[in-house]
Every structure is written in structure tokens, then in C-alpha cells.
Amino acid sequence: MTSEKSSIIIAIDGPAASGKGTLAKRLANFYGFAHLDTGILYRGVGYLVLAKGKEPRDEAAAAEVARNFSLEQFHEADIRTAEVARAASLVAAMPEVRAALLDFQRHFAHNPPAGFTGAVLDGRDIGTIVCPEALIKFYITASPEVRAERRWLELRLSSPGISVEQVLDDLKRRDARDSGRDAAPLRPAPEAELIDTSHLTADEVFARAQRLVDNRLKAA
Ligand code: DC
């Protein structure tokens, strides 16, 4: 159960490789807040389903994994592959999987680890579903071409030979699944602050976001 300890929550949503993870880390670092990349949870479930030799489309298997989920069951390196990303986007469309992961996320937001006075969560439905009560919500986006280029720069180390075109195709398919699904589709919360990072550096995105958070903190 989520106990309502007072914690300042920053919600960040947006599509893959939009820059939301970079912003989330930097804001968490700057304000001394804990950070949770909620994509890790869906990737973890996808990875664990594959590791059991099951199909990611197998809803019963995915729900079972999600109900028994803990971060200790896998390593970061296990979940950063294109295969796991695909599995994650399939299991993320399953209402039972999302419901099982909801408490974990809300608990983290309201009860960040000792020493932290707030939490920054990034994902697809943080402002809309997980933490609608957040102090501030951001929706971070960028053009598909810019995002594919960024993702390709990361992926080419683990998947040599992969082309930008392949990454772009894959990204568009995942965008369509994340935005088109019935369960918690990727969508900006109506009151979200929109930042298009296509032509901004990470420093510029951070400066803009920090100004907005500071204003909100002053007004709170
Ligand atoms: O951000 P990412 O690529 O690590 O996310 C992996 C998948 O999980 C992606 O298809 C979207 C999904 N996801 C989600 O549905 N809800 C979240 N809060 C976070 C990620």
C-alpha cells in the first residue's frame, strides 16, 4: 500500500530516446531527489518472460512475472537489448502487467529511499496515471529521426551492423504500440510542460526544466 508521506514528485513522460531519461537524472541530481526510470520495470518483465522461455505475447506468463517482480532479478545490462525493448513494449500493453507494477511505482514516488526528499519518475504514464498529483509534469519529445539517431549511437555498440533505418523503423513501431494501446497509452497530461528536444542540447533542456520546477516550488 502507498502511505502518503510528503514527497515532492516530478513526473516526466515521453517517447523512447526523447531525452526524458537524461533530464530525469539531471533534475534528480540537482534537487537531491531519487530517480526511477519506470521503463526498467517493463523491460525487466519482458526480459524475465524471455528468460523463462515464454513468448512475450503470453499474457498469463507476463502477468505472473509482474506480480512477483523485483529489481534484484536482473542486471541493467540484461535489459538494454533490442529484443528486450520489443518484449517490453508488448508486455506494457497488458492491463494486468500495468496494474501489478503500479503500486511499486507509487510507493517509490511517495516513499523515496532514505535521504531523498522527493522523487523523479520517468516513463509513459507517470503524469496521467501513476502520479497525477505530481508537483510538475513534463512531456519531452523530439522528431522520430532525431530520436532514432540518438538510439542508434547507443545501440551500435551492443548491436554492430545495425542501421539508423532499422532503428527508425523499430522506434516507429514501438511509438505506435505505446500510443495506440488501450491501457495507459503514451499521452501528455493536459497540464504537462511540453519540451521538444530535437534542436536543444541536454544543458538547454535542463535549464528550461529547472526554471519551471523552481517556479513551481516557489508557488507551492
Ligand atoms: O523507456 P523504455 O524504452 O525503457 O521503455 C520500455 C517499454 O516500456 C516501452 O515500450 C514503453 C513501456 N513503458 C510504459 O509503457 N510505461 C512506462 N511508464 C514506462 C515504459
Side-chain angles (χ1 to χ4, degrees):
M1 277 307 291
T2 299
S3 72
E4 299 294 315
K5 206 175 86 172
S6 89
S7 157
I8 300 165
I9 301 169
I10 299 178
I12 307 184
D13 292 304
S18 55
K20 65 184 187 306
T22 302
L23 176 64
K25 278 192 208 99
R26 292 188 64 167
L27 286 175
N29 203 24
F30 183 82
Y31 290 103
F33 293 174
H35 170 225
L36 179 65
D37 164 4
T38 61
I40 285 177
L41 312 184
Y42 296 93
R43 285 174 179 263
V45 171
Y47 167 75
L48 292 167
V49 169
L50 291 170
K52 281 180 143 193
K54 303 276 188 185
E55 260 295 302
R57 287 185 195 277
D58 182 340
E59 194 151 357
E64 166 84 17
V65 166
R67 279 192 294 272
N68 298 297
F69 182 83
S70 75
L71 292 171
E72 291 73 40
Q73 291 170 290
F74 54 90
H75 299 288
E76 174 81 26
D78 297 332
I79 61 167
R80 295 290 164 205
T81 66
E83 190 193 14
V84 170
R86 179 180 163 273
S89 97
L90 290 169
V91 302
M94 299 171 182
E96 268 193 77
V97 169
R98 304 199 73 86
L101 298 176
L102 201 53
D103 257 5
F104 181 97
Q105 297 172 78
R106 288 187 174 152
H107 183 83
F108 184 96
H110 288 279
N111 305 274
F116 295 105
T117 50
V120 182
L121 278 76
D122 72 271
R124 304 293 192 285
D125 61 339
I126 308 304
T128 49
I129 310 269
V130 180
C131 298
E133 71 285 23
L135 172 81
I136 187 162
K137 302 172 185 181
F138 289 102
Y139 190 84
I140 307 300
T141 188
S143 73
E145 289 71 21
V146 167
R147 293 188 289 118
E149 176 82 23
R150 289 178 187 159
R151 191 41 58 92
W152 176 77
L153 288 170
E154 288 167 16
L155 275 178
R156 77 197 160 133
L157 302 172
S158 57
S159 314
I162 196 162
S163 69
V164 186
E165 291 71 28
Q166 273 171 289
V167 177
L168 180 60
D169 266 8
D170 197 48
L171 205 107
K172 284 183 173 167
R173 253 197 306 276
R174 285 215 286 142
D175 279 358
R177 258 206 298 268
D178 292 343
S179 309
R181 69 187 177 210
D182 291 333
L186 171 63
R187 205 138 293 168
E191 67 280 38
E193 303 287 352
L194 238 81
I195 304 181
D196 185 329
T197 69
S198 302
H199 306 291
L200 297 176
T201 65
D203 282 348
E204 289 167 335
V205 176
F206 174 70
R208 203 174 281 196
Q210 191 217 321
R211 243 190 338 267
L212 291 163
V213 175
D214 279 348
N215 287 342
R216 207 59 72 89
L217 283 169
K218 261 186 239 141

